Amino acid sequence: MGTRISASQLEDTSHINNNSPIDQGMEESSARLENNQHDDAVEMNFNGIEKENNGDETENNDTIMSVEEKVQDPQVGMIFDSIDEVITYYKQNGRQSGFPVIKRSSTNRDDGNLKYVTISCAREGKSKMGGHENMKCLEKDCRNYIEKVRRLQLGEGDATAILKYFTNKQAQNSNFFYAIDLDEDCRLRNVFWADARSRAAYEEFGDIVTFDTTYLTNKYDMPFAPFVGVNHHGQSILLGCGLISNENTETFIWLFKSWLACMSGQAPSGIITDQDKAMKNAIANYEEIFPKSRHRLCLWHIMKKVPEKLKSYKKYESIRLSLDNIVYDSLTRYEFEERWVEMIAKYGLHNNDWLNNIYEERHHWVPIFVKNNFWAGMSTTQRSESMNAFFDGYVNSKTTLKQFVEQYENALRTKVEKEKHEDSKTFTESFNCATEYDMEKQAQDVYTAFKFREFRTELTCIMYCDRVSLKSDSEILEYQISERIKIGEKKSHVIFNVWFNEHTKEVNCSCYKFEFIGILCRHALYVLIHHDIDFIPDRYIMRRWRKDVTRCHRRVKINYTDWVATPEAQRSAKMQKNFDDIKELANDSDDKCMVVMNWMHNLKEEICKHDGTCKRTEPTPQSPIGKSFEPDVNGLPNASQRILTPLPVRSKGRPPFKRRQSKTEQVIKKRQ
């Protein structure tokens, strides 16, 4: 029998005790179930891994125990100062009981610090267990046991304090949104919240969202689940977040529904997650949540598993390089398919289940399969992870839930200040043009500093491009553009196809940079310049990257930062107060709601005509009765209600529209 001890457990207790045979069987099964659920848990390990040192039965002199020395048997609540102290204790206890103990294995975290160590009897031999199905107890019993030993221990009144905090925030600003999920015993399970600024920012930057739950910060190990987008400066921006008690499909459905209820039912056009099956099921199997949203898997999460899944092969390095080239450098889907088949055959990888699985999901993560859609330049959930890291300076493993949501505001204050700084930098600092092209000066005037630098790089790189051939099909010209690319010390020429419509000035490139990131690529710019087009066509300047746009989230009054009382901000606050009063008066019936909606629709049209600057049109308001996007909770509790301890943790924008295809796109699609 072996015991795996998490390094983090040394801060609390050993959680190790002598159990009855029934309890031991439960622990044995729970250990195997826990393997893929929570690496930081203390668990009993029966995998029968070969011993590291068969000669470890002879102890060092400093650990030899005399006949008079006695050590206490393992008890729940024992505290150790270091891993070395744990190992020494178990060796002494084992000798006292008549058997030798060894350190069998240990694992470090990514930062090099110890994650856990497994100690076992030196005479354990090899395990013969085939899994929980071979245990005398049922899988359900094992899971119940896991939940029992991992029950979260909230402080008295801590959950109720969260509710009071949320209700106070909503009293300060009616646009503050929160949802609390309770079970039938009024026990806290999950929470979600978003402040007024995050909700307003979603209107601008909610088209592409990343979602990740790998951040465990508070002392109850409740995964932090942020919804993160990217703003006009390329910065991560929070669009709502939650703390969840479980990572199963049911929990994710509740969280997604709560988030969409917060965002008026407007789903993003694309969402990026890791490969979590429960998360994928929640997105794929419930069309009412994300009816048309594209779901993309995090490329980084998949590729980081390569060493783990393929390290055992003798030609691992060659396989890894081959896989990298296929994934990142394939220019067409056909090329990817062809090169993948060659790799599998060359290295005999037909029976590798992991490779077979990710190949089946290639349409959700391989760049060449996804980059023909807009993703705001994001290919991974590292936006979420960077947001997670952003909170590291404000919370730690001892942070209570109430402290967590309070420190959340302190973290966002810094985030808002960084956005303000970049706004100021965009308008006050000058960024030199690298060429004499008019389109570069145009980009300098309309793009944020972040996006202008990207465009300037593309424009200057046309020097590495040259025309290879030209085909004509009526109004559509097809160019083959050769780009000289340096990879390491090698130089090669890569061919890209560019289609240009002489009549509409529409340009498309096979690299899909505009579709993926939102700025024209060097190959398309080469063709435009060749046709003496001096300025970027308006259709290729996206609103989300412009600096001359007034963003609605910047006018939102928030409590966690100094709100500048500009005339614009004062007018916004005055109108918001009246809007809130009208909303309260009309909120008790559908008829009143329709009166207000029609009045607002007519008022909006009148204001648009006043200065001729209306940029977005909305359909005539319809009856509010219809599909509900409210979270699945049995009513929100009142602020005085006492909420019980949550159950244990099991860790482990706008809607898209189908536009009419242009003639150029139809020709391209037909040829492909």
Side-chain angles (χ1 to χ4, degrees):
M1 180 176 75
T3 302
R4 190 173 82 170
I5 300 176
S6 166
S8 62
Q9 296 293 331
L10 293 177
E11 297 180 1
D12 293 317
T13 65
S14 67
H15 292 275
I16 300 170
N17 66 338
N18 291 327
N19 298 318
S20 66
I22 294 178
D23 287 337
Q24 288 178 352
M26 296 291 287
E27 287 188 354
E28 291 170 1
S29 292
S30 68
R32 303 185 68 85
L33 292 173
E34 284 271 68
N35 260 351
N36 296 325
Q37 294 177 358
H38 199 316
D39 287 335
D40 289 339
V42 177
E43 57 185 3
M44 310 304 292
N45 192 308
F46 295 87
N47 291 332
I49 300 175
E50 292 291 336
K51 297 184 288 292
E52 287 185 340
N53 185 356
N54 292 328
D56 203 18
E57 298 183 22
T58 303
E59 309 293 346
N60 294 329
N61 292 332
D62 58 345
T63 62
I64 296 178
M65 183 178 65
S66 65
V67 176
E68 291 79 13
E69 290 178 316
K70 297 291 182 182
V71 295
Q72 182 183 3
D73 287 337
Q75 299 291 330
V76 173
M78 298 180 72
I79 299 175
F80 301 93
D81 293 330
S82 67
I83 289 295
D84 291 337
E85 185 176 325
V86 174
I87 296 173
T88 299
Y89 164 77
Y90 270 101
K91 286 183 177 180
Q92 291 176 341
N93 180 261
R95 184 179 300 104
Q96 177 177 292
S97 302
F99 61 90
V101 172
I102 63 170
K103 183 181 80 169
R104 189 173 66 186
S105 63
S106 61
T107 298
N108 292 336
R109 300 182 188 276
D110 293 339
D111 59 7
N113 294 323
L114 184 66
K115 184 176 183 181
Y116 70 82
V117 61
T118 301
I119 56 179
S120 64
C121 173
R123 301 191 182 107
E124 62 171 332
K126 293 186 178 181
S127 171
K128 296 182 180 179
M129 295 171 63
H132 63 80
E133 64 272 11
N134 292 326
M135 291 296 296
K136 296 180 180 179
C137 53
L138 300 176
E139 178 182 357
K140 180 180 179 181
D141 298 326
C142 298
R143 295 196 180 276
N144 289 339
Y145 177 81
I146 294 170
E147 292 196 355
K148 178 181 177 181
V149 300
R150 298 180 64 193
R151 179 176 296 275
L152 302 181
Q153 298 298 317
L154 259 67
E156 181 65 26
D158 201 12
T160 302
I162 295 175
L163 176 59
K164 290 182 178 179
Y165 172 82
F166 285 159
T167 54
N168 288 337
K169 286 300 175 185
Q170 195 169 69
Q172 295 171 8
N173 191 320
S174 61
N175 282 327
F176 183 92
F177 181 97
Y178 72 93
I180 294 181
D181 181 30
L182 308 175
D183 65 12
E184 60 277 4
D185 298 321
C186 200
R187 191 182 304 279
L188 178 65
R189 288 191 295 201
N190 312 294
V191 295
F192 169 82
W193 74 98
D195 62 19
R197 191 176 194 272
S198 294
R199 299 180 74 184
Y202 186 81
E203 294 185 23
E204 294 285 351
F205 309 116
D207 47 359
I208 304 298
V209 174
T210 68
F211 178 74
D212 182 63
T213 58
T214 59
Y215 190 55
L216 305 178
T217 55
N218 59 84
K219 72 176 184 179
Y220 309 111
D221 277 357
M222 293 184 76
F224 178 51
F227 295 88
V228 180
V230 57
N231 68 7
H232 51 310
H233 298 301
Q235 299 170 322
S236 297
I237 187 166
L238 192 64
L239 303 173
C241 57
L243 289 169
I244 57 178
S245 63
N246 210 318
E247 292 182 272
N248 58 23
T249 300
E250 180 183 4
T251 298
F252 286 130
I253 289 174
W254 178 88
L255 184 63
F256 292 151
K257 285 188 173 181
S258 299
W259 178 55
L260 286 183
C262 174
M263 302 306 174
S264 303
Q266 302 299 307
S269 58
I271 184 168
I272 305 174
T273 72
D274 61 21
Q275 280 186 291
D276 184 89
K277 290 184 178 179
M279 200 181 299
K280 182 180 178 182
N281 290 337
I283 294 174
N285 296 340
Y286 292 84
E287 295 184 355
E288 71 272 18
I289 303 179
F290 299 108
K292 296 182 180 178
S293 300
R294 301 184 304 275
H295 180 205
R296 182 175 181 185
L297 300 177
C298 173
L299 177 61
W300 179 80
H301 272 106
I302 292 176
M303 296 304 289
K304 80 168 186 175
K305 294 180 181 177
V306 170
E308 172 192 349
K309 303 297 183 180
L310 303 178
K311 192 73 174 182
S312 60
Y313 290 92
K314 292 182 179 179
K315 296 184 178 180
Y316 164 71
E317 287 298 331
S318 298
I319 296 173
R320 182 184 62 81
L321 290 174
S322 179
L323 184 61
D324 281 352
N325 291 335
I326 294 171
V327 170
Y328 294 106
D329 298 336
S330 295
L331 296 179
T332 65
R333 296 182 180 187
Y334 175 79
E335 181 182 356
F336 172 85
E337 303 275 6
E338 189 177 50
R339 296 175 67 185
W340 183 279
V341 171
E342 290 177 356
M343 177 190 71
I344 296 298
K346 180 178 180 180
Y347 298 106
L349 303 172
H350 303 85
N351 296 324
N352 188 289
D353 292 336
W354 180 73
L355 285 175
N356 292 334
N357 289 335
I358 64 172
Y359 177 77
E360 290 298 320
E361 294 188 321
R362 62 193 181 281
H363 295 89
H364 295 288
W365 65 275
V366 177
I368 191 59
F369 285 92
V370 298
K371 68 180 183 178
N372 58 336
N373 294 115
F374 181 69
W375 294 98
M378 295 187 285
S379 59
T380 72
T381 59
Q382 285 178 311
R383 288 281 175 184
S384 301
E385 289 155 10
S386 66
M387 183 65 73
N388 292 338
F390 183 80
F391 283 87
D392 279 342
Y394 300 91
V395 294
N396 54 55
S397 61
K398 300 299 182 184
T399 302
T400 67
L401 291 183
K402 181 174 182 294
Q403 290 171 338
F404 186 97
V405 294
E406 289 174 342
Q407 290 296 78
Y408 150 91
E409 291 193 353
N410 294 328
L412 287 193
R413 178 182 291 111
T414 304
K415 205 70 177 175
V416 171
E417 290 302 321
K418 288 184 176 181
E419 182 176 320
K420 287 183 178 179
H421 174 73
E422 198 65 24
D423 281 336
S424 176
K425 182 179 177 181
T426 292
F427 284 101
T428 59
E429 295 186 16
S430 60
F431 299 90
N432 296 329
C433 291
T435 71
E436 296 296 324
Y437 290 118
D438 291 332
M439 63 174 60
E440 185 178 8
K441 181 62 171 65
Q442 176 193 12
Q444 185 186 46
D445 292 338
V446 299
Y447 282 140
T448 61
F450 158 74
K451 221 55 187 176
F452 170 69
R453 288 192 293 267
E454 280 192 0
F455 179 84
R456 184 175 59 186
T457 298
E458 291 301 316
L459 187 62
T460 55
C461 283
I462 65 174
M463 68 177 69
Y464 304 116
C465 299
D466 193 16
R467 187 182 74 180
V468 175
S469 65
L470 171 63
K471 298 179 182 178
S472 177
D473 180 8
S474 184
E475 295 177 348
I476 309 299
L477 301 178
E478 181 179 350
Y479 288 87
Q480 282 197 327
I481 304 297
S482 172
E483 180 184 359
R484 191 182 188 190
I485 297 177
K486 186 176 182 180
I487 303 176
E489 297 301 320
K490 297 182 179 180
K491 298 177 182 177
S492 61
H493 290 270
V494 180
I495 302 297
F496 297 90
N497 292 323
V498 179
W499 294 269
F500 178 71
N501 189 314
E502 290 186 289
H503 177 66
T504 63
K505 312 303 180 189
E506 184 180 5
V507 62
N508 300 86
C509 180
S510 60
C511 77
Y512 296 110
K513 191 178 190 71
F514 176 76
E515 288 79 1
F516 181 73
I517 294 180
I519 61 170
L520 287 175
C521 64
R522 61 199 65 177
H523 321 110
L525 293 174
Y526 178 95
V527 172
L528 292 178
I529 292 173
H530 176 73
H531 284 269
D532 294 325
I533 297 176
D534 296 327
F535 296 97
I536 309 168
D538 290 341
R539 65 166 66 92
Y540 299 116
I541 301 179
M542 294 187 68
R543 169 190 165 88
R544 64 158 24 251
W545 304 134
R546 296 182 71 107
K547 68 179 180 182
D548 55 350
V549 172
T550 301
R551 309 287 177 181
C552 58
H553 71 287
R554 295 175 58 190
R555 299 194 296 268
V556 174
K557 183 176 181 179
I558 48 180
N559 300 314
Y560 52 78
T561 189
D562 295 330
W563 192 59
V564 181
T566 61
E568 182 188 46
Q570 291 177 342
R571 289 192 295 269
S572 179
K574 187 182 299 183
M575 289 186 290
Q576 184 63 51
K577 177 63 172 64
N578 283 279
F579 291 154
D580 288 343
D581 292 341
I582 293 173
K583 181 179 67 176
E584 290 302 317
L585 290 172
N587 202 34
D588 60 348
S589 78
D590 291 333
D591 291 339
K592 290 180 182 179
C593 179
M594 281 304 300
V595 170
V596 173
M597 294 294 289
N598 282 306
W599 168 75
M600 292 180 68
H601 178 73
N602 295 331
L603 180 62
K604 184 175 181 179
E605 288 187 343
E606 183 178 345
I607 293 175
C608 288
K609 293 176 183 177
H610 185 268
D611 56 10
T613 59
C614 187
K615 296 181 180 178
R616 282 188 272 185
T617 59
E618 306 255 347
T620 302
Q622 302 296 319
S623 171
I625 300 176
K627 183 190 295 185
S628 172
F629 289 92
E630 296 180 359
D632 294 335
V633 292
N634 298 322
L636 290 176
N638 58 61
S640 62
Q641 184 174 352
R642 183 173 181 270
I643 306 175
L644 301 179
T645 303
L647 288 173
V649 176
R650 288 190 184 180
S651 64
K652 35 168 185 177
R654 286 180 296 273
F657 59 91
K658 187 173 182 180
R659 60 181 176 85
R660 184 186 300 275
Q661 285 190 331
S662 66
K663 185 175 180 180
T664 304
E665 291 174 316
Q666 293 173 3
V667 171
I668 295 171
K669 184 176 181 181
K670 182 179 179 181
R671 291 189 177 182
Q672 289 178 338

